[in-house]
Amino acid sequence: MLFYTLRRLLYLIPVTICVTVLVASLMHFIPGDPVDKILDEFASAEQRAELRSQLGLDKPLPVKIISYFKGVLSLDFGNSISNGRPVLELVSERALATVELAILAVLISILISIPLGCISALKADTPTDYLATLFSLIGVSMPNFWLGPLLIIFFSLYLGIFPVSGRDGFMSYILPAVTLGASLAAILSRMTRTAMVEQLQSEYVKTAYSKGLSKWRVVFIHVLRNASVPIVTIIGLQFGVLLTGAIITEKIFDWPGLGDLMIQAIGERDFPIIQGLVFIFSMTYLIINLATDLLYAWIDPRIKLQ
Amino acid sequence: MPYGCVFLGYLLQWLSEFLAKTNPEHNTQEELKMSIQPIKKLSMHFLWVMSIILLPACQQCQSNQQSSKNTDILRVAWDSMPKSLDPRFGNDAHSFYLSDLIHCSLIEFNEAGDTTAGLASKWTWTTPTMLSVNLKQNITFASGKKVTAHDVKATYDFFKRTDLKKISPLAGAYKKIKEIKVIDDHKIEFHLSEPEISFVTNLIVGILKKEQANVESLKPETLDHCGAFKLKKIGVNDIHLSKNTKFNLHTPPAISEINIKIVKDESTRLAKLKKGELDIVQNTISLDQMKTIEKNKSLSVTKGPGLNTVYFGFNFKDKLMSNSKARKAIAHAIHKNQLIKHILNDYAEPAHSLILKKSSFYAEHQRHDYDLSVAKKLVQELKKDNVDLKFKIKTSTNKTQVIIAKAIAKQLTEVGFTVKVESLEWGKFMDDIKKGLAQTWIGRWVGYKDPDIFRYVFLSEMAPPNGGNRGFYQNPQLDQLLKDASKTIDLESRVAKYSEIQKIVQKELPYVFLWHTANYAVHRKNVVGFTLYADGRYSSLKQANKN
């Protein structure tokens, strides 16, 4: 397991490098000059050339990439083109907001989907199951950009319970977390149901009942654990996606997260921020995937990681 | 809300009983009871948990209501963060708006957009290249230090420095400054390398203390302000200002604090206004919402003229658009009044020049009003000459701009053109225009204060990347007039020159001037004293208050 973990950690490096180089190369071809964004049209050609040189934009692409990675080794991700602040500072002031929201969204989706999926599996092909399926369909069909404003209108404006937007106090977390967690809950509940139905047909379940174990113990201690490998996969993948910023939700709820920063950077052609975020996102995603794989081994000791 | 939880708890119990009864597995009452029991327990637990969670929600509600009633704080929404809190670096609109609130500058602008005295009490062009400025006395920074001519010199000298790690984006506006001379503590002279009459309108940089103005990189929290407010706290998505008690340039502000919240989504801005989490939103709510907002009992709408011109631009490098008959046909085919009425809800007035009608430099020599018969006749002539009438209108992804572009395309199709609309991300849109890849586009010039804008927009040398002549229009006669006008100090001569300039522009049609959009603000009814400034600034926050 240790060897497996170390090997996977080593794989992080070439994958992250490849992703960053690819994105840096693509950005080279994006139309729009960041110098135009900074200087207005009164600036002379000499001033433009000088700024381009100061920002290193006149260097060839391979030179830019190499000097970027040299900086990364000393944790220097460069400075923002538009406001001059270090990229790492900008990311660190927003990272916590994204992490908090992602964790809460995943928790909400687990709290809804696991019990719902279990009940749906236990009551398969009954009105309860159909109701749960309907919930899943609705959850998956509702896009964030529709659900978010709907929740604002009902819970913030009409009922006045939650603030409309912003990150200010515990109550401000609920609506954005529910918006993010709703579709994940729908997918997870279906996955839970399918996995549970398959497990409930196993022989060990009959053995457990015949030994006199209660229904709840059999379902939630034994069956759910065996069914949880695909569930953990989905949770892991989705958590990685959420950590890299929920752009639409962050915009609707003015959430000062990394997705918002990325969109801003793309609009302003702020290449250091884009590159820095891509680097961090790819590392995060790979680490989450590794953690998910390690979790399999813990959940099901029969799984051997090689 | 706790009542809602009770209701929800009982609803869950009823639902569980209903589902249990309909389950064919439950044959006896005992089996039914056994299956319902856990769900009943679960729903009661849910009831208690939700009540505990939602109790703080009730407290939050009350706190929200209290903060909306807090009459000492004005909460304003902007759609983006200022690029820089240092007045020497911010060249976007929000940086200027913020600088206007926290710094003092030599020149200010009144509600109509006309130059007025700020820190400068008087300014005179002693020669065409020398501007003499007298400063008001006893004006202080927040620290108590008096503002002198040395501070002004240090602030503007910053733009001439060549040793900076990163040049200021504002440097271009001051490239003609040859030297700044301090005559005494309250008199200063700007010596230019060549005449530039519009230079006065550029004297809007927030003045910094001499000791700070020499430092390249300043932390916003350390800035010493001479404006009406000072920076209290800067967050990721908000800026808090507090009253500068040492402010003595004008009447001290009525409000103690201003919270500027960055709210990027338009629906969210409106929702926050309705709920009372915001007090003022200016110009960043779509005009199609205005009719609904006007009926809202807790909101008021204030409307006023804006210093901007929306135009339909032509690329003179394009074969069709360099044809004057085509441009005239397009001008006559666009029904501006219809577009203003149905898309902009009358929040605009038709434009016939780059500058507003109320400007003393405005002149009207020729109009190309909507006239379908003239437009069709011109198109017929173009068809006889075998001119290809297909073209594209490029626009940004702004919702209203796209609707306007499509409406114009429809109007042009009716007279015989074949038009497609292409909406592009902002960076790509501007890039295409500057590279001459857009045949036509819909654009906007905002916040200009001086008719020298004509030189910036139509002078041949100002073609991209050197300036704003995005249509690559060339006219030697116009070029000479524009250069002469920018150097003319005498007002009467200037007016005459700009009249000639507008005569040529209105005849040649490098643009179809569409309209001047109104400024508007939606605010809570308890906000008083907030008025609109034509260039969109928030100067009236200095006098605004809450009942």
Side-chain angles (χ1 to χ4, degrees), chain B residues 3-20:
Chain B
Y3 296 116
C5 299
V6 171
F7 171 73
L8 206 54
Y10 280 113
L11 179 65
L12 275 173
Q13 285 189 36
W14 174 83
L15 199 60
S16 65
E17 284 179 20
F18 171 76
L19 290 171

Side-chain angles (χ1 to χ4, degrees), chain B residues 200-228:
Chain B
V200 173
T201 57
N202 290 338
L203 296 175
I204 52 168
V205 176
I207 302 302
L208 300 176
K209 263 191 333 204
K210 190 174 80 173
E211 298 77 18
Q212 288 188 326
N214 292 326
V215 177
E216 183 174 349
S217 183
L218 285 167
K219 284 198 176 147
E221 301 85 0
T222 61
L223 290 172
D224 197 1
H225 307 289
C226 53

Side-chain angles (χ1 to χ4, degrees), chain B residues 203-441:
Chain B
L203 296 175
I204 52 168
V205 176
I207 302 302
L208 300 176
K209 263 191 333 204
K210 190 174 80 173
E211 298 77 18
Q212 288 188 326
N214 292 326
V215 177
E216 183 174 349
S217 183
L218 285 167
K219 284 198 176 147
E221 301 85 0
T222 61
L223 290 172
D224 197 1
H225 307 289
C226 53
F229 297 94
K230 37 183 198 177
L231 283 169
K232 184 180 167 188
K233 187 182 140 195
I234 306 154
V236 176
N237 269 351
D238 54 14
I239 302 169
H240 296 250
L241 308 179
S242 61
K243 188 157 90 171
N244 178 5
T245 50
K246 296 262 171 43
F247 177 66
N248 58 354
L249 184 58
H250 301 297
T251 316
I255 201 81
S256 302
E257 269 189 45
I258 296 177
N259 286 359
I260 299 168
K261 295 176 190 254
I262 310 303
V263 185
K264 289 176 186 167
D265 187 69
E266 187 200 307
S267 325
T268 310
R269 281 194 289 273
L270 189 52
K272 284 173 91 83
L273 253 181
K274 286 178 178 174
K275 200 184 171 204
E277 290 179 15
L278 285 174
D279 297 309
I280 301 170
V281 175
Q282 181 175 290
N283 288 337
T284 49
I285 292 179
S286 322
L287 294 171
D288 55 4
Q289 301 277 357
M290 300 314 289
K291 285 207 159 63
T292 320
I293 292 170
E294 281 162 5
K295 294 176 192 164
N296 190 303
K297 288 177 187 163
S298 54
L299 300 176
S300 288
V301 179
T302 305
K303 198 169 147 185
L307 269 181
N308 62 79
T309 306
V310 177
Y311 65 91
F312 189 92
F314 299 109
N315 181 357
F316 277 70
K317 285 183 178 177
D318 180 73
K319 198 175 164 191
L320 176 62
M321 297 308 152
S322 57
N323 186 318
S324 63
K325 272 188 200 165
R327 296 197 304 278
K328 281 178 186 156
I330 289 170
H332 285 296
I334 296 176
H335 200 324
K336 296 180 205 176
N337 290 333
Q338 232 183 33
L339 298 169
I340 291 171
K341 185 178 174 193
H342 296 294
I343 301 176
L344 302 176
N345 284 318
D346 289 320
Y347 276 74
E349 60 175 65
H352 304 288
S353 179
L354 190 51
I355 52 179
L356 272 70
K357 222 171 186 170
K358 65 171 186 67
S359 166
S360 48
F361 295 96
Y362 178 84
E364 196 175 297
H365 298 276
Q366 193 176 3
R367 281 163 73 139
H368 299 273
D369 287 335
Y370 174 70
D371 193 330
L372 211 55
S373 56
V374 169
K376 281 181 177 173
K377 188 177 160 214
L378 286 164
V379 168
Q380 288 308 315
E381 286 173 24
L382 287 166
K383 278 182 180 170
K384 275 185 194 158
D385 298 336
N386 290 322
V387 174
D388 183 5
L389 298 174
K390 278 188 235 161
F391 70 93
K392 266 191 201 167
I393 302 174
K394 292 199 179 182
T395 176
S396 66
T397 50
N398 176 280
K399 193 175 71 171
T400 308
Q401 294 290 76
V402 174
I403 294 170
I404 290 168
K406 286 182 177 175
I408 290 178
K410 179 80 171 52
Q411 290 174 346
L412 296 176
T413 308
E414 280 169 14
V415 302
F417 288 103
T418 306
V419 187
K420 275 190 185 162
V421 172
E422 190 178 349
S423 66
L424 301 167
E425 182 267 335
W426 181 255
K428 169 80 174 131
F429 172 59
M430 290 310 298
D431 202 52
D432 274 8
I433 292 171
K434 287 176 184 176
K435 286 180 178 165
L437 299 174
Q439 285 175 290
T440 66
W441 70 96

